[in-house]
Amino acid sequence: MPLRSAGLARTAVLLAGLLSARGIACQDLVLRAEFWAESEPVEVLPAEITDTAPKVTFPEEVVRSLLEEGRRVFSGMIWGFEFRYVPYDKARGVAEELEIVPLGEIPWGDPRLGTSQTRLTGTQLRAYLEYRPDPSAAARKAAWDDATFQSAQGRGSAPLAGGREARRTALDQAAKEALRELLRPVEKNKPGEIRGVFAYDASPRIVITGGSYTAVVRIRVKVAEVRRYSVY
């Protein structure tokens, strides 16, 4: 059964009850974090020879990728994700699987998403992005702080050769490692499948190390279902 259809009802039950009491104190929430994108800048010379310094610009796709990553991260902090995780089991011949489905997203072009303090560091375009969620989204963000959610942290990597998509892969790998570390002490017998929800507790950190994008994430997690292997 598809993850979206199988878990949507459970997800609604997990989160809906936490929202009603949190709207009042969340109306002035501002999410703010620094994001960066890698690219060679382009120097655009003035139309006429003057003392004005050349203007440094970046290709549109680089700016768009920076905004897209910010949109995805802030969405992951507000609405979070539904996940389905199948642990690797050598004895049963089961390969590891992780499926992550966003539970909501900031629309592209949302005026609540803005930039500030843009700067160039080497070949990296860096900018602080800000998002001002409406009261409903702010309450959804606050709901992840409820004591029924657990905290976890993980690190994941993906080769630079994968381009901008590798950054997303590194984030998913980091989330998988966080889930694995959280569940290992709890589940003594390796389960067949685990389903639940998680959200970024803060903006993930992505750096370049040894030819790879490396992401570090902190998440808030609630396990909705653990399916164990049948015993005959």
Side-chain angles (χ1 to χ4, degrees):
M1 184 180 294
L3 175 59
R4 171 66 77 173
S5 58
L8 193 56
R10 287 192 299 271
T11 300
V13 172
L14 288 172
L15 294 176
L18 300 173
L19 301 179
S20 58
R22 297 179 180 270
I24 298 177
C26 299
Q27 296 186 19
D28 296 326
L29 176 67
V30 179
L31 302 180
R32 188 173 189 268
E34 186 180 38
F35 295 87
W36 62 273
E38 187 80 15
S39 174
E40 290 292 339
V42 177
E43 288 190 352
V44 181
L45 295 175
E48 299 179 359
I49 298 177
T50 66
D51 292 333
T52 305
K55 180 181 179 182
V56 178
T57 65
F58 280 81
E60 182 179 346
E61 64 270 17
V62 176
V63 178
R64 187 178 182 89
S65 69
L66 186 148
L67 293 173
E68 176 62 27
E69 186 167 294
R71 187 173 73 99
R72 186 167 62 245
V73 166
F74 287 153
S75 297
M77 294 172 68
I78 296 171
W79 292 282
F81 308 88
E82 188 175 9
F83 72 87
R84 171 183 171 271
Y85 177 52
V86 177
Y88 168 70
D89 194 319
K90 182 177 180 181
R92 293 183 173 88
V94 176
E96 184 179 55
E97 295 180 30
L98 175 66
E99 185 179 357
I100 297 175
V101 178
L103 290 171
E105 65 176 17
I106 298 168
W108 182 258
D110 189 333
R112 295 176 183 269
L113 180 65
T115 64
S116 65
Q117 298 183 19
T118 303
R119 61 192 174 91
L120 175 64
T121 304
T123 59
Q124 294 178 358
L125 173 64
R126 291 181 172 270
Y128 277 94
L129 302 186
E130 295 181 349
Y131 184 67
R132 300 175 182 273
D134 61 28
S136 175
R140 189 65 177 261
K141 167 70 172 65
W144 294 101
D145 293 330
D146 190 84
T148 58
F149 291 89
Q150 296 175 278
S151 296
Q153 180 170 305
R155 178 187 298 264
S157 298
L160 287 173
R164 296 186 180 101
E165 187 60 31
R167 297 169 68 94
R168 188 168 189 168
T169 301
L171 288 171
D172 288 349
Q173 291 297 318
K176 180 172 68 175
E177 179 63 22
L179 292 169
R180 184 190 292 135
E181 291 301 312
L182 175 68
L183 298 169
R184 182 178 291 135
V186 178
E187 298 296 330
K188 296 181 180 179
N189 298 318
K190 189 174 293 184
E193 182 180 274
I194 303 167
R195 293 173 181 261
V197 293
F198 76 88
Y200 296 135
D201 192 30
S203 177
R205 184 167 62 91
I206 300 178
V207 297
I208 296 177
T209 56
S212 297
Y213 288 113
T214 297
V216 177
V217 303
R218 297 202 316 270
I219 60 176
R220 298 284 288 169
V221 186
K222 178 174 281 189
V223 174
E225 179 184 1
V226 178
R227 183 179 64 81
R228 294 174 174 81
Y229 289 105
S230 300
V231 178
Y232 296 95

